[in-house]
Amino acid sequence: FQADAILARDPEEDVRCELARKISRLIPNLKPEQNEKLATMAMGVLTTLARDELPRVRAIVSEELKHTKNAPTELIRELAEDLEDIVAAPILEYSPLLSGKDILQLIATGMKSKKLAAVARRPKIDTEVVNAIVETGQTEAIHDIVGNHTAQISDGAFEKISDHAETQESLQNLMVSRDDLPVMTIQRIGRFVNGSLMELLMKRHSERKEVVEDLRATVKERIDRGETMEGGVDAAEDVYEPASIRVEKDFEAGVLN
């Protein structure tokens, strides 16, 4: 690795980029029983590359290390805090070496735009992290939270997200596609989604009779107020009725006896 240590400071960026790929792919496979001196030298080269003045070089290191569990946590944290989105985003979205506490601290620093959206896409983020992201009010990150079906979203967070969804149809689409919406949130968004989304909402929750009946009533109220329910439902009779409810009604009417 002595030659690599020299190449890590080579004036040619292509040389440093290629070295970044080589060393970054080597680090995750280093075993504890391997020569400690060699491992230390390799890590030294990697650290130099992770601090390269060229974002392209740092981004290669970040991309190669984003899934590894065998890298110094200090280095991972440094990459996550990088000013450049292309460097920080892969680590923020995927690295298993970032703890929930790390993530919350990073959000608290005023993380913006693409970086916060990357955090929102992390697998299985907990309610505390979700709440912190929603509190920022950043549109892209909130969209990515709702689109992340492994994210643990609390009832309170769903209510705050509904505030944003009222004027953002793209966010309404994402909300309707989730299976874990609280009843209160379903009722809330039912007051403003268009007809097509209302139909999808009813179909997704078709086995929850009380929810569907409540949505049917909401449709009628909106139509009575003069709303056109553009994009789908435009009359109370046209509201989707789930199979389970139709069967129950037919049975009560004696059709299935």
Side-chain angles (χ1 to χ4, degrees), residues 74-247:
E74 298 83 0
L75 179 60
I76 293 297
R77 177 69 185 245
E78 190 172 322
L79 290 167
E81 293 175 338
D82 198 284
L83 295 177
E84 299 289 340
D85 292 345
I86 60 170
V87 180
I91 297 297
L92 291 170
E93 183 171 350
Y94 297 107
S95 179
L97 295 176
L98 286 179
S99 67
K101 182 179 179 180
D102 290 331
I103 294 295
L104 289 171
Q105 288 175 344
L106 289 167
I107 294 174
T109 63
M111 187 184 292
K112 301 292 183 182
S113 188
K114 302 296 182 185
K115 295 174 187 174
L116 192 64
V119 173
R121 295 190 296 270
R122 283 179 71 85
K124 300 179 180 178
I125 48 177
D126 62 28
T127 54
E128 195 172 2
V129 171
V130 169
N131 289 342
I133 293 173
V134 173
E135 285 294 333
T136 69
Q138 292 196 39
T139 300
E140 183 178 359
I142 290 175
H143 275 68
D144 283 338
I145 278 287
V146 180
N148 180 353
H149 285 240
T150 68
Q152 300 172 29
I153 307 178
S154 67
D155 290 5
F158 269 125
E159 279 303 290
K160 290 180 179 179
I161 291 168
S162 297
D163 293 339
H164 296 276
E166 194 159 355
T167 56
Q168 299 178 40
E169 189 171 339
S170 57
L171 190 53
Q172 295 169 21
N173 274 284
L174 291 170
M175 292 186 76
V176 168
S177 72
R178 292 191 69 103
D179 292 322
D180 57 349
L181 292 179
V183 172
M184 185 179 297
T185 301
I186 295 172
Q187 294 170 336
R188 169 99 183 267
I189 66 176
R191 300 187 195 117
F192 53 75
V193 297
N194 65 30
S196 294
L197 291 181
M198 180 67 92
E199 289 174 356
L200 289 173
L201 197 59
M202 290 182 178
K203 288 178 182 179
R204 187 165 290 276
H205 302 282
S206 62
E207 299 306 316
R208 302 166 73 176
K209 182 178 178 180
E210 292 183 2
V211 171
V212 173
E213 289 299 327
D214 184 77
L215 290 173
R216 285 169 58 88
T218 298
V219 169
K220 187 176 186 306
E221 289 172 8
R222 290 176 62 183
I223 292 173
D224 289 344
R225 288 199 303 267
E227 293 187 41
T228 61
M229 300 291 289
E230 292 180 2
V233 177
D234 56 11
E237 292 77 11
D238 293 331
V239 177
Y240 174 78
E241 186 170 70
S244 59
I245 294 177
R246 294 199 302 272
V247 169

